Amino acid sequence: MLEIENLHVTVDGKEILKGLSLKLNVGEVHAIMGPNGSGKSTLSYALAGRDGYEVTQGTMRFDGEDLRAMAPEARAAMGVFLAFQYPVEIPGVVTMNFLRTALNAQARARGEKEIDAAQFLKAARAAAKTLNISEEMLRRALNVGFSGGEKKRLEALQMAILKPRLAILDETDSGLDIDALKLVADGVNALRSPERAMLVITHYQRLLDYIVPDHVHILADGRIVKSGGAGLARELEAKGYDAVIRSAA
Amino acid sequence: MSAATAPEQFWFDEFAARARKLPGAGDSALMEKREAAMALFRRAGLPHRRIEAFKYTDLRARLNERYDTDQAAAPAPQSALPAWEANRFVIIDGILSDARSDRPEGLEIASLAKDSLPPWALARLGAVNPQADHVMSALNLALMQDGVAIRVPRGFAALRPLHLQFLETGGEGAPAASHARVLIVLEEGASLTLTETHEAATGRRTLASRVTELALERDAALEHVRFTAAHARHDRISSLFAEIGAGAAYRLSQIQTGDGLERDDLFVRLEGMGAQFLLGALRLLEGTAHADLTTIIDHAGPGARADQRVKSVLAGKSCGIYQGKVIVREGALGTDSHQLARAVLLSGEAEAMTKPELEIFADDVKCGHGATVGALDPDALFYLRARGVPLNEANAMLLEAFLAEDLDGLSPEPIREVLRTATLKRLVAMEPAK
Ligand SMILES: Nc1ncnc2c1ncn2[C@@H]1O[C@H](COP(=O)(O)OP(=O)(O)OP(=O)(O)O)[C@@H](O)[C@H]1O
Ligand SMILES: [Mg+2]
């Protein structure tokens, strides 16, 4: 489903990803772990199509299509979803309206029918309830004044509503309290299916106790330096990045 | 002034040729006003860039046609906006259309095309918050062909909004110009909602010279909403003069769209305790649009409040100018006067210019001004697009958010919905930032 080969990405003239390769098959969940500054968010932005993340070498393909040639909204319409590490506050845009606009824009781009208002409201309310998000929050401006954990729960809500085929979760667990972590993990697991794939970026084993990955990769200095099964995450937790990365070199 | 330029000479000749045929030719008081106004125009000429207030808007260079001022009966243009409940006055190419206008009850109405004006109108015509040497309104008065004077009697609350619908005929043909005027008097405690739309059909060059005079006596209230849709060959030169008595409140919400030249002069005098003026101007400019809003708020008495907020969305090569001057006269204690200008630039070639000016001769006043200019937040745009919202829609969403509080604040509701829809349509059509 997702094939990344020898990806080099430069930000502001500085090379951050230096030949990263990764392959996700449909139905799989991969976890990426790695030290601060190793390039995890850079990878997720490059996949989502953020301006200024220049691919200087290599390829990213989704369903065989070159992602580089596509605008962010086109990638989203194909089913690529990024849960932001730092969700953006957007004053004046009401969360609920935004959710519906996004859902309908994707439907239109795919040539599907738009969802009617009543149906949407019902679905959004139900999804919000499972993530313990109040309706009052949905009436507020997008992410404005939300606590760190609330923002992350809202990212999970967007994922639940948009039902992407490839979900990239960039530290969605950071900032969540213990109960919220469980709710968000339940939400992710509910979406797990043979038609979808997930790329879970995290620093903590705790999330991977709930969302058990098929593969774990360690990203260091812009490259995948080691890959393994779910056990690799536990090894990291026990020994730390330094030791594991050194032994891989 | 030195030798007249060709555009100036055109208006001298125009006056010489037409004066005797203009409305009020038989009324010596009105003719005196016209003569005096023309004398001022002869002395000063068209405003040009070396006149400080016209630094950014050189009308002598711009208004350079030999205009046709005989308004031939062309097919009457229609408004592109849905109608709302109102008493309507339809003004086509500066001429009040009796056939398409209502006769509201409870208000006193006088046509300015009639030979004899009622004393209350004549006394105030050209005399509301007058500004020495204001050339464009003088030219308007000298050559005024038509317009309407309205008096809302003491204590009368006009429930139905009054709507002034200005339509300019487009199509083929020689450049056309017209001079029209509106005078509204709200007597003590009277209240009115006034809506105004200015729509110009594309085609020939047009010059709309418009003057509005508003006299609000003590405790009167005027809610004024104005919408303009200009095009590149349309020049709208508008001056508004207002006097606001103690306890009276005037709110002007103005939405400007399109790519024409629009010069708005706004002269507001706050006369006493509790007088209030609120301005909310939104400008959505494209192409080579040039909108110049120049205001002078005169705090003549104590305890008055003024709040001006000007927001511009500037695409293409458009230019949004706001020159805001606040005068606090001696004795105007407790004045509260604020200005805020915010502009979003959608292109590297668009320009926002803001020039605040304060002249304060009293103590114990609160005056402030602020200005911001910038592009839309790229992080916000990316966030929306990453969720599948196309660039132009994401752009429009953020612009709508930028304007939201102003659009939400429009009143009354039916007008708010019509103008909100018209505004959002423009936003979606606007060229997004690259
Ligand atoms: N605009 C920029 N100019 C220069 N360097 C940048 C820029 N943006 C990011 N970087 C650098 O790129 C590197 C990778 O950043 P990235 O955000 O991808 O790290 P990360 O692995 O997600 O880290 P964390 O675990 O802290 O989230 C960092 O060293 C960062 O300082
Ligand atoms: Mg990161």
Side-chain angles (χ1 to χ4, degrees):
Chain A
M1 175 178 252
L2 179 68
E3 285 172 275
I4 305 171
E5 264 177 42
N6 188 32
L7 188 69
H8 291 252
V9 172
T10 298
V11 185
D12 270 346
K14 185 176 162 204
E15 187 169 66
I16 310 292
L17 297 185
K18 305 169 180 173
L20 182 146
S21 299
L22 185 66
K23 194 167 168 226
L24 262 79
N25 294 313
V26 68
E28 291 177 350
V29 172
H30 290 229
I32 293 190
M33 307 182 81
N36 294 133
S38 56
K40 302 181 300 294
S41 293
T42 303
L43 171 64
S44 62
Y45 287 142
L47 287 169
R50 185 171 181 164
D51 265 352
Y53 287 69
E54 199 196 339
V55 177
T56 53
Q57 240 192 90
T59 55
M60 311 178 279
R61 291 182 178 282
F62 182 67
D63 282 348
E65 297 219 32
D66 183 3
L67 282 178
R68 279 173 66 179
M70 295 162 72
E73 55 268 36
R75 302 181 197 199
M78 272 192 84
V80 177
F81 175 90
L82 167 62
F84 284 60
Q85 182 175 1
Y86 304 108
V88 182
E89 299 195 1
I90 309 188
V93 171
V94 175
T95 304
M96 197 62 141
N97 298 348
F98 155 73
L99 291 172
R100 190 158 148 235
T101 305
L103 188 64
N104 281 334
Q106 290 199 14
R108 247 181 294 128
R110 291 195 286 256
E112 296 163 6
K113 232 177 76 218
E114 292 189 12
I115 185 166
D116 79 71
Q119 220 183 330
F120 168 76
L121 202 64
K122 212 171 137 205
R125 280 187 180 145
K129 200 159 173 218
T130 62
L131 286 161
N132 203 8
I133 292 174
S134 71
E135 279 196 45
E136 184 269 328
M137 239 170 89
L138 298 182
R139 283 194 296 269
R140 275 159 54 186
L142 187 52
N143 289 320
V144 177
F146 288 22
S147 75
E150 286 170 342
K151 286 179 183 165
K152 295 307 180 75
R153 273 187 277 149
L154 190 70
E155 294 293 292
L157 174 68
Q158 294 175 49
M159 181 177 66
I161 289 174
L162 296 170
K163 300 194 171 49
R165 294 174 49 235
L166 170 66
I168 305 158
L169 307 180
D170 190 356
E171 298 196 28
T172 302
D173 52 338
S174 308
L176 290 176
D177 65 43
I178 300 163
D179 295 354
L181 181 70
K182 176 106 184 20
L183 293 179
V184 168
D186 287 346
V188 173
N189 284 329
L191 275 184
R192 249 178 124 150
S193 92
E195 287 91 52
R196 295 199 177 90
M198 293 181 188
L199 191 57
V200 180
I201 296 169
T202 181
H203 286 294
Y204 306 107
Q205 170 60 36
R206 186 192 297 274
L207 179 70
L208 303 180
D209 288 340
Y210 293 117
I211 308 170
V212 181
D214 302 301
H215 300 274
V216 174
H217 310 277
I218 301 173
L219 179 59
D221 193 24
R223 276 184 217 98
I224 304 283
V225 294
K226 188 167 183 169
S227 298
L232 180 58
R234 280 189 290 276
E235 186 187 338
L236 272 177
E237 182 97 340
K239 297 188 193 158
Y241 284 122
D242 231 23
V244 177
I245 293 169
R246 242 183 294 119
S247 75
Chain B
M1 100 185 224
S2 48
T5 60
E8 287 156 350
Q9 189 62 47
F10 169 78
W11 293 113
F12 302 166
D13 297 346
E14 185 71 13
F15 187 71
R18 300 183 68 93
R20 244 151 292 282
K21 287 178 274 177
L22 287 168
D27 180 332
S28 61
L30 181 52
M31 278 320 282
E32 265 168 45
K33 288 191 187 216
R34 288 194 190 267
E35 294 282 1
M38 199 59 204
L40 165 60
F41 181 74
R42 277 203 197 90
R43 215 166 49 238
L46 286 165
H48 52 80
R49 74 176 78 230
R50 286 187 307 282
I51 307 280
E52 182 62 17
F54 286 83
K55 180 158 78 174
Y56 302 112
T57 306
D58 189 333
L59 293 183
R60 196 166 69 185
R62 174 83 179 198
L63 307 180
N64 57 355
E65 303 282 358
R66 298 191 61 78
Y67 297 97
D68 179 356
T69 54
D70 275 314
Q71 303 297 329
Q78 299 294 326
S79 170
L81 298 164
W84 54 78
E85 275 273 313
N87 287 313
R88 254 149 242 282
F89 290 90
V90 180
I91 298 142
I92 300 170
D93 296 332
I95 305 292
L96 185 65
S97 160
D98 283 327
R100 288 170 66 175
S101 297
D102 296 325
R103 296 260 113 201
E105 270 171 41
L107 309 182
E108 207 170 321
I109 312 284
S111 160
L112 295 180
K114 293 284 167 351
D115 259 351
S116 60
L117 292 177
W120 62 265
L122 187 61
R124 283 183 149 122
L125 200 67
V128 177
N129 187 18
Q131 304 291 311
D133 299 335
H134 193 261
V135 174
M136 293 314 291
S137 60
L139 183 64
N140 175 286
L141 182 57
L143 289 161
M144 172 188 81
Q145 295 138 299
D146 205 345
V148 59
I150 297 160
R151 181 159 70 154
V152 189
R154 192 187 162 113
F156 185 83
L159 294 179
R160 220 170 137 91
L162 200 83
H163 181 43
L164 302 173
Q165 185 174 63
F166 289 86
L167 298 167
E168 311 301 328
T169 313
E172 300 294 306
S178 65
H179 303 269
R181 193 171 270 255
V182 174
L183 166 69
I184 298 180
V185 178
L186 279 91
E187 292 187 341
E188 186 175 339
S191 63
L192 176 71
T193 294
L194 174 69
T195 61
E196 218 181 296
T197 54
H198 297 258
E199 296 168 273
T202 55
R204 62 180 180 170
R205 269 200 84 176
T206 43
L207 163 62
S209 146
R210 305 286 176 255
V211 171
T212 309
E213 295 182 87
L214 304 171
L216 276 71
E217 293 180 0
R218 151 184 286 285
D219 297 326
L222 177 61
E223 177 80 46
H224 186 184
V225 181
R226 185 187 256 176
F227 176 84
T228 75
H231 63 80
R233 293 167 65 72
H234 181 61
D235 301 329
R236 181 179 145 271
I237 310 297
S238 156
S239 315
L240 185 148
F241 301 83
E243 289 172 7
I244 304 174
Y250 173 39
R251 180 160 84 129
L252 171 62
S253 309
Q254 175 157 313
I255 301 178
Q256 293 170 261
T257 67
D259 61 353
L261 174 127
E262 298 187 88
R263 163 75 182 207
D264 278 278
D265 280 343
L266 215 63
F267 302 103
V268 177
R269 192 170 78 223
L270 295 153
E271 298 183 323
M273 201 50 89
Q276 183 170 270
F277 172 58
L278 303 177
L279 168 69
L282 307 182
R283 308 184 296 184
L284 283 56
L285 307 180
E286 302 163 70
T288 54
H290 180 102
D292 180 339
L293 172 64
T294 297
T295 67
I296 298 185
I297 310 304
D298 185 349
H299 290 264
R305 182 166 94 86
D307 191 24
Q308 307 177 68
R309 195 162 62 197
V310 178
K311 287 188 184 172
S312 309
V313 176
L314 305 170
K317 292 181 178 161
S318 67
C319 180
I321 298 147
Y322 170 43
Q323 310 185 86
K325 180 166 165 179
V326 170
I327 304 169
V328 182
R329 306 270 173 195
E330 210 175 319
L333 305 173
T335 288
D336 192 328
S337 201
H338 294 272
Q339 309 174 57
L340 177 66
R342 295 181 64 195
V344 170
L345 303 180
L346 294 181
S347 110
E349 291 177 297
E351 259 186 298
M353 241 101 63
T354 305
K355 197 182 82 181
E357 214 180 318
L358 294 175
E359 283 182 11
I360 303 179
F361 304 103
D363 296 328
D364 182 29
V365 301
K366 273 190 269 174
C367 289
H369 57 80
T372 62
V373 183
L376 289 177
D377 177 7
D379 291 344
L381 269 175
F382 173 63
Y383 189 82
L384 297 176
R385 296 177 74 191
R387 295 293 178 257
V389 182
L391 175 59
N392 66 328
E393 251 183 87
N395 209 60
M397 272 176 98
L398 296 182
L399 292 176
E400 186 187 350
F402 172 63
L403 305 177
E405 63 177 313
D406 303 83
L407 293 173
D408 292 347
L410 290 174
S411 144
E413 204 223 313
I415 292 154
R416 172 166 69 234
E417 288 323 307
V418 169
L419 294 188
R420 188 207 297 277
T421 306
T423 305
L424 299 187
K425 229 158 91 186
R426 300 303 290 226
L427 291 180
V428 176
M430 277 184 122
E431 183 81 15
K434 290 286 171 338

